[in-house]
Amino acid sequence: MSRTTPPPRRRRRALLTAGVMTVTALGTGTMLQGTASAADFACEVDYSTNDWGSGFTADLTITNTGSTAANGWELTYSYTGNQRLAQGWNGVWSQSGQTVTVTDTGWNGTVAAGGSVSVGGQFTYSGSNAAPTEFTVNGVVCGEDGGSGPGPGPGPGPDPEPGDRVNNPYEDAGVYVNPDWSANAAAEPGGEAIADQPTAVWLDRRAAIEGGSAGNSTGLREHLDNALVQAQDHENFVFQVVIYNLPGRDCAALASNGELGPDELDVYQSEFIDPIAEILGDPAYADLRIVTVIEIDSLPNLVTNVSPRATATPECDEMLANGNYVNGVSYAIDTLGDIPNVYNYIDAGHYGWIGWDDNFGASAELFAETANTGGASVDDVHGFIVNTANYGPAVEPHYDINDSVGGTSVRQSEWVDWNRYVDNQSFAQAFRTELVSQGFNSDIGMLIDTSRSGWGGPDRPTGPGPLTDVNAYVEGSRVDQRFQTGNWCNQAGAGLGERPEVAPAPGIDAYVWVKPPGESDGSSEEIPNNEGKGFDRMCDPTYEGNPRNNHNMSGALPDAPISGHWFSAQFQELLANAYPPL
Ligand code: BGC
């Protein structure tokens, strides 16, 4: 492989991350720059938004109120908050600081006298979202017409009726803020900064359906009723719930072992999935978009952690042999998929697990087999989620898998170790393609859990590493500061990742916060409990590892409570190391 030059790569990455695909696709060279002179040009701009609390779409209509046609136009305006452009349409959109610039695409450059042209953009924000007060087109300040508020105008397409299953449930939707997590976050110093972020509700045992127990104080119905209240401010609303209670749960680790034994498939079906389906199917909740995250850390274990591999565990061998992961997941997607407003996303591990050739195709095949088991079909699967409760970055900004140093591919570095991917977004996009080739619908979408994938703080690299040798290059480039990508428990140095965001990149439905930041992954020493949770040495900071993390130190924080319980020290570290910073 030839040596690659970092600058073009970095530029491409930045554009992809920001999601401003129109800029890449059109290039700034295609803009039409001929403009009517300022003297005979006059304009009005109508600005309206559809706001869901953490983001919004803006529709702008420029009307030429002058007496001459404009041949080419450039609109600028400024926000006063932290509104950030995610993508735009019908124009070439860019943002510098608080100033947004939209130029014509070429095909819509001519605006006759009295005519108008409409553009749309999508933004994220936090805090307040005041409408801009002044618009300038071709250097002329426009007379205002209209203000903020819902209004007609061009958008990504006609809005479906609430309740119809849409392609991307996060599009134009508010997302449920879990009051239990939010209260824990808000009670922490500095925690108010993120306490209004949406995180998932975890159904991690039968008792969580009713609620009332520690860590699951609010039951499913109460959450859904809360969601209906939160939904009042939104045209569409997403409720995110994790379905996590398989028989023989988490066969390759102990920290999140569950309450059901390996053979208790019937209990899983009748006492867990059926009651959940009954509640989710209640017509009272029919207008919510219910996103289900199906069974973390299950199916890929049947590929990677079974005999004769060195990484095998007896428990995963058993779950492969008895079929209860496959039967449990297929039952869950079949039963929940019958509810028209449920969107099933199956957990697909993460790049540092499934990204190797041995695991990639085999995992996709197993997902396809599972989706065709029992009464299930691929139509029950809306998409897949990667990096749930894990720590891998969505995007490694300073290097990518095609880089090489002195003819040696980064795949040969100790860190990458022949993986095909260096981050979760590139993995998710490629895995999506693989899943479609295995028979899943071509419009499946991916989610990425970015709740703890941030890796900010003073040690974060700010550019590519030295080109002295491939290891120095990767070590100097990577923002992920773990000892090894197989490390998963309460990782020291991690920060909050990208805030929840809709459609951040092609094929990705959303960045989501599924693992609630501040909830432990597992205790750092044995703690007796009645939740079925074991003690996994991967959560012990003194542990020197096993074949599944290639015998590295665990990298875990000390003094952690059992999984799911509040871990203040970790929450504080996640805040401090947030990237993007808070
Ligand atoms: C635990 C669950 C918990 C979830 C969210 C998992 O690791 O096993 O009990 O609900 O994390 O914090």
Side-chain angles (χ1 to χ4, degrees):
M1 235 170 279
S2 66
R3 183 171 174 144
T4 52
T5 44
R9 180 192 69 243
R10 286 210 308 277
R11 221 167 18 240
R12 180 170 55 79
R13 280 293 180 148
L15 289 171
L16 280 174
T17 323
V20 280
M21 294 304 294
T22 35
V23 176
T24 328
L26 293 167
T28 45
T30 61
M31 286 187 299
L32 239 168
Q33 288 302 348
T35 56
S37 72
D40 50 23
F41 181 75
C43 49
E44 267 175 7
V45 171
D46 180 83
Y47 175 91
S48 66
T49 58
N50 178 12
D51 188 325
W52 56 91
S54 58
F56 63 100
T57 52
D59 293 325
L60 295 101
T61 299
I62 306 169
T63 303
N64 178 357
T65 54
S67 52
T68 335
N71 295 313
W73 48 265
E74 179 179 84
L75 161 71
T76 56
Y77 68 90
S78 295
Y79 287 111
T80 50
N82 63 0
Q83 292 92 338
R84 189 166 69 89
L85 177 66
Q87 59 181 326
W89 46 92
N90 293 349
V92 180
W93 288 72
S94 63
Q95 181 170 14
S96 168
Q98 293 176 317
T99 301
V100 175
T101 302
V102 193
T103 52
D104 67 79
T105 57
W107 52 261
N108 63 0
T110 301
V111 187
S116 60
V117 60
S118 294
V119 298
Q122 187 181 315
F123 293 80
T124 56
Y125 78 99
S126 60
S128 61
N129 179 25
T133 50
E134 188 174 284
F135 300 90
T136 303
V137 175
N138 294 345
V140 173
V141 177
C142 303
E144 279 152 77
D145 177 33
S148 172
D159 271 345
E161 289 297 301
D164 288 352
R165 213 177 264 160
V166 295
N167 184 37
N168 181 354
Y170 291 86
E171 202 80 56
D172 299 322
V175 186
Y176 181 60
V177 176
N178 180 340
D180 295 344
W181 175 81
S182 184
N184 285 332
E188 289 280 338
E192 317 80 55
I194 59 162
D196 63 349
Q197 290 292 346
T199 56
V201 168
W202 284 63
L203 298 179
D204 63 344
R205 70 197 92 152
R206 285 164 292 175
I209 302 171
E210 279 302 315
S213 59
N216 298 105
S217 43
T218 304
L220 180 58
R221 260 190 197 284
E222 205 184 330
H223 275 302
L224 288 160
D225 292 340
N226 292 338
L228 292 180
V229 174
Q230 292 185 20
Q232 285 169 2
D233 300 335
H234 303 271
E235 198 173 334
N236 305 296
F237 202 71
V238 171
F239 178 79
Q240 306 176 116
V241 59
V242 179
I243 307 296
Y244 186 49
N245 197 26
L246 270 186
R249 190 176 78 190
D250 215 354
C251 61
L254 301 169
S256 282
N257 284 167
E259 62 175 353
L260 300 182
D263 292 322
E264 293 191 281
L265 179 66
D266 54 336
V267 180
Y268 177 75
Q269 294 175 332
S270 61
E271 295 182 23
F272 188 66
I273 297 299
D274 291 352
I276 292 172
E278 196 182 319
I279 296 171
L280 297 185
D282 187 325
Y285 309 124
D287 286 346
L288 296 172
R289 297 176 178 177
I290 299 173
V291 164
T292 57
V293 169
I294 305 289
E295 297 297 353
I296 323 303
D297 290 349
S298 55
L299 296 172
N301 272 317
L302 305 186
V303 174
T304 67
N305 294 327
V306 291
S307 299
R309 295 201 189 189
T311 48
T313 67
E315 292 79 10
C316 291
D317 278 342
E318 182 176 5
M319 297 320 298
L320 177 62
N322 71 15
N324 284 346
Y325 276 5
V326 169
N327 291 329
V329 170
S330 64
Y331 187 81
I333 59 171
D334 177 25
T335 309
L336 301 173
D338 284 346
I339 304 167
N341 55 319
V342 163
Y343 299 76
N344 287 321
Y345 288 83
I346 301 179
D347 187 76
H350 56 93
Y351 90 92
W353 181 9
I354 309 305
W356 281 273
D357 290 348
D358 288 0
N359 307 340
F360 190 80
S363 296
E365 262 173 51
L366 179 60
F367 286 125
E369 181 197 320
T370 304
N372 289 300
T373 294
S377 85
V378 293
D379 294 333
D380 292 317
V381 181
H382 203 75
F384 290 79
I385 178 165
V386 307
N387 202 47
T388 309
N390 211 275
Y391 293 88
V395 176
E396 278 283 0
H398 305 310
Y399 78 115
D400 79 24
I401 199 67
N402 298 313
D403 292 353
S404 56
V405 177
T408 306
S409 163
V410 295
R411 294 188 65 216
Q412 289 169 259
S413 66
E414 281 172 34
W415 172 256
V416 180
D417 192 21
W418 296 105
N419 199 320
R420 290 266 176 209
Y421 306 93
V422 302
D423 53 30
N424 279 307
Q425 189 154 293
S426 60
F427 162 71
Q429 289 170 325
F431 199 54
R432 185 188 168 284
T433 303
E434 176 70 17
L435 289 158
V436 171
S437 81
Q438 296 281 351
F440 284 97
N441 292 327
S442 59
D443 59 357
I444 56 170
M446 308 298 282
L447 303 177
I448 304 178
D449 185 357
T450 58
S451 67
R452 306 181 303 182
S453 61
W455 301 105
D459 298 335
R460 182 184 169 90
T462 54
L467 294 167
T468 42
D469 69 74
V470 79
N471 281 319
Y473 175 70
V474 171
E475 291 306 295
S477 301
R478 65 179 169 101
V479 296
D480 186 339
Q481 295 301 305
R482 285 178 294 179
F483 294 120
Q484 215 261 351
T485 58
N487 283 354
W488 51 268
C489 196
N490 300 328
Q491 291 299 285
L496 303 164
E498 288 85 354
R499 297 340 151 236
E501 181 179 341
V502 61
I508 312 294
D509 282 352
Y511 290 155
V512 289
W513 282 12
V514 169
K515 177 73 185 185
E519 293 186 9
S520 174
D521 298 316
S523 58
S524 42
E525 55 190 53
E526 183 129 35
I527 299 177
N529 65 84
N530 59 6
E531 298 177 23
K533 308 273 174 66
F535 165 50
D536 196 297
R537 295 237 25 228
M538 286 295 286
C539 303
D540 171 356
T542 67
Y543 185 51
E544 292 173 8
N546 59 42
R548 287 176 297 283
N549 77 338
N550 209 13
H551 300 281
N552 281 270
M553 295 296 291
S554 74
L557 292 168
D559 304 320
I562 65 167
S563 65
H565 288 224
W566 193 252
F567 187 10
S568 171
Q570 185 189 33
F571 184 84
Q572 289 300 329
E573 188 167 278
L574 291 168
L575 282 184
N577 292 334
Y579 198 92
L582 292 172

